[in-house]
Structure formats: structure tokens, C-alpha cells
Amino acid sequence: MTAINPVTDLDVREGIAVLTLNSPPVNALSGAVRDGLHDGFQKAINDPAVKAIVLVCAGRTFIAGADITELGTGAKGASLPDVQSMMEASPKPIVAAIHGTALGGGLEVALCCHYRVAVATAQLGLPEVKLGLLPGAGGTQRLPRIVGPEMAMEMMCLGDPLVAPEALKVGLCDEIVSGDLTEGGVAFAKKLLAEKRPLVRVRDNDSRVTPARGKPEIFASFRKTHERKNRGFLAPEYIIRCVEAAVNLPFDDGIKREAELFRELLSGPQSAAQRYMFFAERQAAKIPDVPADTPLIPINRAGVLGAGTMGGGITMNLVNVGIPVTIVETSQEALDRGLKVIRTNYENTARKGRLTQADVETRMGLITPSLDMQALASADMVVEAVFENMELKKEIFRKLDAICKPGAILATNTSALDINAIAAQTKRPEYVIGTHYFSPANVMKLVEVVRGDKTAKNVIATAMALSKRIGKIGVLSGVCYGFIGNRMLFGRNVQANRTILEGASPARVDKVLTDFGFPMGPFAMSDLAGVDVGWNAKTSKGETLRDRLCEAGRRGQKTNAGYYDYKPGDRTPIPNEDVVAMIREFAASKQIRQRDVSDAEILDRCLIPMVNEGAKILSEGIAIRASDIDTVWVHGYGWPVYRGGPMHWANSMGLDKLVARMQEFAADDAAFWTPAPMLAELAAKGGGFK
Ligand code: 3H9
């Protein structure tokens, strides 16, 4: 074995060179890895004793891509295109032996090998789109030459990998290896030599791309199909343009086009935001006073209290990863309804081909319905998901404390209430925690894990680890009304409501926010949630706009009327002039002057209060770091990922400019627009949130 450099070894066995990369955690293509590949391949190619070369990785995975921390920094080391050219031009066959994930630049390196073998669990993909990028090391030109332009666009625009058996079917992989991967790779290389198989250079084979030449409709149709999902994102469109180049231009010209578009994305704000979010999501798992090796409480059985929308979604999350759940309701009818919704959700997924009917039955089989809270006695963790009422929650926690076994975690799915007050009802406050899921709980990626004053560290570590296990991102919050996300939402809603009283229509405000990239504006959101949430028919006296809407029977989508009208069975909001007139009338009754509120003003008035509240949340220690706040907003509330969350957005705008804008608005309401001390201080220093 020869050490090529600290992360690369070369070993020659019976004429086969094995080049092994070992650069934890994921063998990313750092300068050292690129140097290792360059020098290792050169040495093997120049060694007359070597007849073929196998590239393999140590540790948990094959190369998982470019080193994201180095992208755009002009980091030292061999150039990747030079390494790739050397590999493709090698007179000796090169085989990539893949385990774990061959992603991004990792797969692009593998595509310059003459053959690829993989273990059955390996995943192969080009996920750059998730970082606001396109595959910039030849992937957009080589992948279509193997799988055809349509599938290549699908893979690169969605960014989801194929597992090895699927990759085998489409020709991205040549053989599945069982047993030891390196041995399998060496055996495959020997077979190539024995059979005198040709050196396959992906770049040379145009047969999969030429049929699409002169057929712009292929691209038009792909754009149309994915229009909604790709709204606001630049990278998918740039990927499509690269595939057009792969189809219409010679290989080297296509590579030039790819490089131009890659550079443009890399230097733009969207990719900067998405790369920031990549690390923000991972950072969120790290809690300074809860060491990474804190022992976890095994969660082998769970309980969920409440089979409504939230309880049902939480149950699905748990059974999806094989955790049996006892779900408890107060009436048979509610229980049946909840189970029916869960089954329908699974069957819809099965209909789309993403689950088998057997999977549906397995998951349903893991759910034990019950009308008796005693059935929760053996659960390792119980999640309470009943409606938001403090007295009810307190009573439930007293009961759970008496029923549940010692050491069981008692979690509440409250979206705002005081976890400490709930924990105080039990004799085990250290086992009480908040796990705030977002609706629909089986879809949304965020869980706010809310730590009470007495919550134990192993309980926090377990709740965070469970979030990861069920495919979510856990973000730790301290206790305050509304935690991180909802607390920030309140300020936005205050201003959204004021702008409509000052003259902007609900549809205009919603459009400004959806143009910014939110999936929905505040008024469409209010209609969805129910305008009457928290409204009381008995005490309503038309004192607020909401009172007036609800009194007029406009209670949201459920009544086909709220801020908008709705056709029965259709969720599309239809603006209504009578509502606009009602708002005008109400504003006049409150002596609020109507004027033209510009789009820029609407946007700033809705978003800046969130940043200001975020600064307070940070200085109070409710959130550990600004990037945690951004993770909450991107994954719980649909803040467009390509704008990186409110704190990142504020940093990009410049905190001094943001505070100056607050001063402009302060003329109308000085108290509301006073910058939080942390914000004022950072702005004065010319700094940003860290
Ligand atoms: C690209 O390739 C561009 C090219 O087309 C063109 C080039 C010219 N770089 O996620 P985990 C770190 S763009 C640097 O918790 P898992 C990560 O931050 C790239 N660091 O583990 C974390 O660090 P820490 C295209 C990276 O098992 C640790 O590794 N590739 C990179 O849940 C563990 O990560 C991608 O987009 C990286 N590329 O998942 C793949 N990847 O421990 C991105 C990971 O300090 N990576 N780290 O928090 C992933 O999708 C997942 O990390 C992976 C493992 C599936 C590999």
C-alpha cells in the first residue's frame, strides 16, 4: 500500500490498482481529495504493472460531492476537470466501486470512470439543485447521454438519487456487487480485462441525446409540468438549459455552457442562501450544553393522544419508521375518523406508486386504537395532540403522569403554550418536553423541540434524535408564547392586517408574499386555518374586521367564504369586491386613512417585524442561533429556501438599511417599530446576525 497523500492510498493487487479515498465524514472533493485522485490515477496509469484501476472510498460513503465549504472560494488543489480528463483518457479501464452515496461531483467523477459497480444499497444522484446549483463537473452533459434527456432533467431538477438496482436498470451502474465491495470491484476489473471489454467513455456516446435534437417540445413540456414546483428557483431552469445544450451541441461546447451557467448560479444569492441552509439544518442538531454522546432513551413504543389532523400526522411519522403507536381518543367516532384519514393518506401514496399495498397494511398494523388512556402505560414516549386549551392540557398531563411508566417522555404538541406550566402538573417535569409539529405533520419537515426549565438533557437529546429518525429537522426552542415560529408570525400578521385597512386588498398583500416565494399569503392562510379560530360568536360585537367577517358568515374555506370566496370543493381563492368594501367601511369607522400602499412597503412591513422579533428571540436565548430561526421559517412556514430564512434575508439586505426602514415606518407607530437592542447594536456596528 502506498500513501499518495494523507487522504489517498494506492494498492496494486495482481495487476489491479485500488485507489482508496479516506476523507471523513463523506469523502467530499476537497483540494486534498482532488490532489489524491490526480496523483493516484497518474501513478497507476504510469505503472506498467497496472492493467486496470478501481476507485473506492473508505468510511460511510463514496464521494458525496464537491466540498460545499470550498465552493467558490478558489481553494487550492488539482482542478477537477483536469482529473476527469485524465480519467477519461486513461488507456487502462477505471472502475468506480460505490457504496453509501455517489452524489454531485462524486457521481460526476464516477461518470468519468469507464464502468461503475455498486452495492445494492448505494444511492447515485445529482442533488446540486438543492444547493441552488447545477451539476458543474460534466453531470449535465454526461447523465443525459446515459439515461436520456427527460430522465436526466427529472433526476437533476428534483435532485433525488436512484438506488443501485434502479441505476442498474437505466445503465448508470453496470453491476451490483454483493459481499466485499473492493473485492467485487477488483473481480469486475479482472473480468473486463479477460473479456477485453472496451473503454467506455460516456462523452462519446450521443445515441441517447440525438433523438431529442430539433424537438424543443420535450423541454417546453418538462418546463410546464414542473412550473409550479420550480416557481422562483433559478437552478432548475439552468439545468434544463444545460440539457438542451447536451442535446444540441457537441460535448465540449455543452461543457462550456454548463461551466458558464454553473458559475452564474454559484455567484448568485440563491445558491448562497441554499448552501447556508444546508449547514444551518445540520447545525440545528448541535446543542451546546447537550453533548453529542448524551445517552438516548430508547423509543420502541409510542403513544399519541388525539386522532385529529395533528395526532394522525404524528402517528404516521412514527409508524413510518416502524415505531408501534397506541392512539387514544375520547370517542369511537373520532377514533374511526382519525384512522380513516391515516389509511386514506397511505392509500393515496400507494396509488402514486410510492408505497406498496403491503406497506400500507404493515403501517396500519402498527397502530393500536384505544379509548382508554391506560393503554398508554407501556409507551416509552407519549405525544399529546389535543386542541390548544391550557386547562385541558394540564388535566391530561396529570393523568398521563399517573398512567405512564417511570422514565417515559411526556411530550406536548402545543404550538404556543407554556411547557413549564404543563410540566408542573407532573411529578416528572424533567421528562416533559414540547414537540411542536407543523401541519400537515406527516409532510412538513420541521419539529420545534421545546425545552422546559426542568427538561433533562437526555430527554432533549432523545426528542432531537427522534426528529431525525422520522426524517424531520428538529430545532430547539426555549419557552415563550408561540416559541420561535409563531411568535415571529404574530408581528407579520399585525402589519398584514394594518396594510389592508390602509388600502391594500388582501389579494394584493397575498400576492406580494407569494411573489416573494411563500406558498401562500397571510389571508389565504387565515382562510385555510379558519378566520374564526379564537373568535367567539357570543361576545362578538363587530369591533374588529375579523368579527365582521365572521358575523357575516365568512369564516374561511370551510364556509366557502372568508377573505376570499371559494367554489365548493376548490381551494382556489377568488377575490371578492364586497370584502374589499367591508374592509374600507371598517377602516373608515376607525378613522384610518386609505392610501396606495406600495408592494415594497407591504413586503417590508410584513417581513421586518419578523426579523425584529427574531433578534429578541435570540437575545432572550429562546433560539440558540440565528440559523435555527431560519431553519424554522424555511421548514415550518414555507419561507423560500432560496432566500435563506428571515435572519439571512436581513443580513443580505444589510441591518443598517433594515433599521433605517423601521425608522421610516416609526412615524405611524413608534412602539411597534422600535428596533430590538440586539438589532440596533448590530446595525450600528455594521454587523449581521451570526
Ligand atoms: C457539487 O458536487 C457541485 C459539483 O457538481 C460541481 C463541482 C465543481 N461538503 O448530512 P450529514 C458534512 S455540490 C462538505 O449530517 P448524513 C455535513 O455538513 C455537492 N461537507 O450526514 C456534516 O458535517 P457535520 C453535491 C459535507 O449521513 C457531515 O458531513 N452533493 C458535504 O445524514 C455529515 O453530513 C450534495 O449536495 C459536502 N458535500 O447524510 C450532498 N456533505 O458533521 C450533500 C456532507 O460537521 N450531502 N457534509 O455537521 C448530503 O446530502 C448528506 O450529507 C449525505 C450524508 C447524504 C452525504
Side-chain angles (χ1 to χ4, degrees):
M1 178 97 73
T2 314
I4 298 291
N5 73 4
V7 297
T8 321
D9 286 320
L10 186 66
D11 182 26
V12 182
R13 317 172 177 184
E14 299 166 33
I16 310 295
V18 176
L19 190 63
T20 307
L21 295 175
N22 186 3
S23 179
V26 295
N27 291 307
L29 289 164
S30 61
V33 168
R34 294 194 307 273
D35 281 343
L37 287 171
H38 182 274
D39 298 351
F41 277 123
Q42 196 165 53
K43 194 167 169 55
I45 290 168
N46 291 338
D47 182 347
V50 170
K51 303 293 175 230
I53 307 163
V54 175
L55 171 64
V56 69
C57 289
R60 65 211 250 201
T61 178
F62 191 77
I63 307 166
D67 184 334
I68 303 168
T69 58
E70 269 190 6
L71 281 175
T73 62
K76 289 203 197 80
S79 107
L80 191 55
D82 286 352
V83 173
Q84 290 177 299
S85 302
M86 189 202 303
M87 293 169 68
E88 264 186 337
S90 162
K92 304 170 182 179
I94 303 180
V95 178
I98 300 170
H99 76 297
T101 45
L103 297 178
L107 181 58
E108 291 172 298
V109 165
L111 287 173
C112 292
C113 296
H114 304 102
Y115 293 90
R116 287 157 294 282
V117 299
V119 297
T121 52
Q123 300 185 35
L124 291 79
L126 294 173
E128 285 86 344
V129 72
K130 297 183 184 175
L131 300 168
L133 292 172
L134 55 83
T140 66
Q141 305 305 298
R142 290 191 179 87
L143 187 65
R145 285 177 161 78
I146 296 183
V147 302
E150 282 106 330
M151 182 166 183
M153 284 191 287
E154 189 88 22
M155 281 180 69
M156 293 188 284
C157 289
L158 297 180
D160 296 331
L162 299 183
V163 285
E166 290 168 346
L168 182 72
K169 267 191 219 147
V170 297
L172 194 54
C173 167
D174 300 289
E175 192 170 280
I176 303 288
V177 170
S178 46
D180 183 80
L181 176 61
T182 308
E183 292 306 321
V186 169
F188 185 84
K190 285 183 179 166
K191 188 166 69 178
L192 292 178
L193 296 172
E195 293 174 3
K196 298 196 171 49
R197 303 249 297 257
L199 295 174
V200 180
R201 301 201 314 162
V202 176
R203 55 175 288 153
D204 293 341
N205 186 355
D206 284 352
S207 65
R208 291 304 307 270
V209 290
T210 39
R213 234 168 246 172
K215 290 193 183 144
E217 64 277 13
I218 294 178
F219 301 97
S221 141
F222 186 85
R223 283 188 173 94
K224 183 120 204 66
T225 310
H226 296 272
E227 193 175 8
R228 202 156 151 239
K229 185 172 187 317
N230 291 341
R231 188 175 69 93
F233 288 91
L234 272 185
E237 171 56 27
Y238 279 35
I239 289 170
I240 299 170
R241 288 183 200 169
C242 286
V243 178
E244 285 175 322
V247 164
N248 297 314
L249 301 178
F251 182 84
D252 286 329
D253 292 348
I255 287 282
K256 275 191 206 129
R257 182 85 181 116
E258 178 193 270
E260 272 162 32
L261 293 176
F262 179 78
R263 274 196 300 274
E264 211 181 296
L265 288 177
L266 184 62
S267 58
Q270 292 205 350
S271 175
Q274 288 180 257
R275 280 178 282 142
Y276 160 80
M277 285 309 303
F278 176 86
F279 291 109
E281 288 158 17
R282 282 155 183 83
Q283 193 69 15
K286 297 175 180 119
I287 301 163
D289 70 328
V290 179
D293 58 358
T294 303
L296 303 180
I297 299 170
I299 306 293
N300 298 319
R301 269 211 83 77
V304 171
L305 206 65
T309 320
M310 292 312 288
I314 296 167
T315 301
M316 290 175 72
N317 291 331
L318 295 165
V319 298
N320 287 349
V321 296
I323 302 174
V325 175
T326 300
I327 183 164
V328 175
E329 254 299 349
T330 48
S331 76
Q332 190 62 45
E333 196 196 347
L335 202 52
D336 291 346
R337 199 180 326 120
L339 286 174
K340 192 163 166 237
V341 171
I342 296 177
R343 178 173 278 284
T344 308
N345 281 338
Y346 280 139
E347 287 188 340
N348 286 340
T349 311
R351 207 164 301 124
K352 290 178 199 145
R354 295 206 297 263
L355 275 186
T356 63
Q357 194 55 38
D359 293 333
V360 175
E361 297 313 326
T362 308
R363 292 177 194 202
M364 291 307 295
L366 285 171
I367 305 175
T368 308
S370 176
L371 293 172
D372 183 359
M373 275 176 74
Q374 288 293 341
L376 300 172
S378 61
D380 301 310
M381 177 175 192
V382 175
V383 186
E384 164 275 309
V386 305
F387 59 85
E388 285 292 74
N389 176 307
M390 187 52 130
E391 288 319 307
L392 177 65
K393 292 199 192 254
K394 282 182 173 171
E395 187 194 326
I396 284 175
F397 272 73
R398 282 195 292 272
K399 284 192 188 152
L400 284 176
D401 190 31
I403 292 169
C404 294
K405 66 181 185 188
I409 299 177
L410 307 183
T412 168
N413 179 51
T414 178
S415 58
L417 301 177
D418 182 350
I419 308 286
N420 292 326
I422 296 173
Q425 303 304 307
T426 72
K427 293 191 191 72
R428 59 173 104 189
E430 64 280 18
Y431 285 93
V432 176
I433 195 161
T435 51
H436 175 210
Y437 290 81
F438 289 71
S439 188
N442 51 318
V443 176
M444 299 297 284
K445 292 270 286 183
L446 179 70
V447 184
E448 272 182 326
V449 173
V450 190
R451 153 189 216 163
D453 291 347
K454 295 192 175 154
T455 311
K457 291 184 183 178
N458 61 339
V459 173
I460 297 171
T462 302
M464 294 296 287
L466 183 67
S467 307
K468 181 158 189 190
R469 186 170 162 200
I470 62 175
K472 310 268 173 203
I473 299 171
V475 175
L476 194 69
S477 170
V479 175
C480 65
Y481 191 73
F483 315 129
I484 298 172
N486 281 343
R487 176 166 160 186
M488 288 168 69
L489 191 61
F490 300 141
R492 183 182 95 173
N493 286 348
V494 166
Q495 288 302 316
N497 287 328
R498 281 190 196 164
T499 53
I500 61 170
L501 296 181
E502 289 171 23
S505 67
R508 169 105 176 263
V509 174
D510 280 354
K511 182 167 183 317
V512 168
L513 288 162
T514 52
D515 284 351
F516 180 78
F518 279 101
M520 214 181 242
F523 297 104
M525 176 72 100
S526 173
D527 279 356
L528 176 68
V531 183
D532 58 351
V533 173
W535 174 76
N536 187 333
K538 288 191 194 119
T539 54
S540 180
K541 292 199 191 88
E543 278 162 2
T544 63
L545 180 61
R546 182 179 65 175
D547 284 352
R548 297 206 181 171
L549 286 165
C550 291
E551 285 163 16
R554 307 192 67 93
R555 298 187 188 175
Q557 279 191 18
K558 59 190 165 193
T559 55
N560 292 325
Y563 287 96
Y564 297 92
D565 286 342
Y566 299 87
K567 289 189 189 134
D570 185 348
R571 292 172 182 273
T572 316
I574 306 166
N576 175 316
E577 276 312 309
D578 293 344
V579 172
V580 173
M582 191 190 278
I583 296 169
R584 260 190 232 125
E585 229 170 78
F586 178 78
S589 75
K590 300 282 173 193
Q591 281 86 46
I592 298 170
R593 188 174 58 87
Q594 298 270 303
R595 63 186 174 90
D596 182 30
V597 188
S598 73
D599 287 355
E601 179 177 339
I602 294 171
L603 189 69
D604 286 348
R605 281 177 60 184
C606 287
L607 301 191
I608 292 175
M610 297 175 55
V611 177
N612 199 34
E613 201 60 43
K616 292 178 193 165
I617 284 172
L618 270 180
S619 54
E620 289 167 25
I622 297 293
I624 298 170
R625 39 182 102 79
S627 62
D628 285 3
I629 297 179
D630 289 331
T631 304
V632 163
W633 270 84
V634 166
H635 292 290
Y637 297 82
W639 183 289
V641 63
Y642 56 80
R643 293 191 199 269
M647 311 312 268
H648 177 85
W649 174 78
N651 281 346
S652 340
M653 174 176 180
L655 299 189
D656 51 343
K657 288 202 189 75
L658 190 135
V659 166
R661 197 75 172 127
M662 291 179 82
Q663 282 155 356
E664 285 172 37
F665 298 139
D668 282 340
D669 184 346
F672 185 93
W673 291 106
T674 302
M678 178 193 262
L679 175 56
E681 198 183 313
L682 286 172
K685 279 201 269 186
F689 297 109
K690 291 255 165 32

